[in-house]
Amino acid sequence: QQQVKQSPQSLIVQKGGISIINCAYENTAFDYFPWYQQFPGKGPALLIAIRPDVSEKKEGRFTISFNKSAKQFSLHIMDSQPGDSATYFCAASIEGFQKLVFGTGTRLLVSP
Amino acid sequence: GAVVSQHPSRVICKSGTSVKIECRSLDFQATTMFWYRQFPKQSLMLMATSNEGSKATYEQGVEKDKFLINHASLTLSTLTVTSAHPEDSSFYICSASSGLAGYEQYFGPGTRLTVT
């Protein structure tokens, strides 16, 4: 119940295209859903996060879509650029506990 | 803002020795710090959670006596890998939370440990 399932495992997108990464969870107590970007040999960096009271959040080229009834959320990267090539992790946590449960990661490659 | 540093960035040690990794929050007070371990091409695995001035809470399967965590101040936590073995070689990442901005955790750049 504590798992967060992430797909796809890897993704190749052409420059200018849309990258879509999906995550699903079981625990309905989760109420914070962040996405992290990680470059090789570096720590993860927070990209964008959403709480279940909204269905969508947009920051620049990054959008989170959240479907509470389906217990799914996704990251959309618009106008993908080669510099977006990295590993992306979704995560979830419960208020007050702060402990993050991470997805398995998606390696994104944006071809020039 | 919200910068977390780790030192060292890379360390090589001999089997049987101990190594200490420092995690510092540079521009905020971290009431809670987390230590993760990441194997190549895998996700982050939470090892332990530490609150300033309290004993760390370890995840199931993590050896408390092997991975010693100290959170002595609001800006510093240390992870000591005792009697290191080659299987302890990994990427260790800390994160810190002030507890003020909700749930946001700020991650350090990681420490690559190689045990020979």
Side-chain angles (χ1 to χ4, degrees), chain B residues 27-97:
Chain B
D27 51 2
F28 67 101
Q29 292 188 325
T31 53
T32 307
M33 285 185 167
F34 304 84
W35 285 95
Y36 295 84
R37 185 174 181 175
Q38 187 177 34
F39 290 107
K41 297 184 183 180
Q42 292 192 22
S43 189
L44 285 80
M45 267 181 36
L46 180 64
M47 298 175 65
T49 302
S50 73
N51 292 296
E52 185 261 341
S54 304
K55 284 186 178 179
T57 301
Y58 290 81
E59 294 298 299
Q60 196 171 8
V62 177
E63 298 177 59
K64 301 178 185 182
D65 296 331
K66 182 165 189 61
F67 298 100
L68 301 179
I69 291 171
N70 183 280
H71 191 166
S73 78
L74 285 171
T75 59
L76 174 64
S77 176
T78 60
L79 167 68
T80 302
V81 183
T82 62
S83 186
H85 288 95
E87 57 264 32
D88 298 324
S89 298
S90 190
F91 194 50
Y92 292 88
I93 310 171
C94 71
S95 71
S97 170

Side-chain angles (χ1 to χ4, degrees), chain A residues 23-86:
Chain A
C23 283
Y25 63 97
E26 289 295 322
N27 190 345
T28 55
F30 285 142
D31 59 358
Y32 175 68
F33 303 91
W35 284 90
Y36 289 89
Q37 178 189 57
Q38 186 180 31
F39 292 104
K42 305 292 182 185
L46 177 65
L47 260 182
I48 186 172
I50 197 168
R51 289 184 170 81
D53 51 343
V54 296
S55 60
E56 186 175 282
K57 184 174 181 180
K58 184 176 181 179
E59 288 183 4
R61 296 185 293 111
F62 301 95
T63 300
I64 299 181
S65 296
F66 185 80
N67 186 328
K68 190 173 180 179
S69 58
K71 292 184 284 187
Q72 294 175 348
F73 58 110
S74 60
L75 175 70
H76 295 231
I77 306 175
M78 313 299 286
D79 187 27
S80 299
Q81 299 297 312
D84 296 330
S85 298

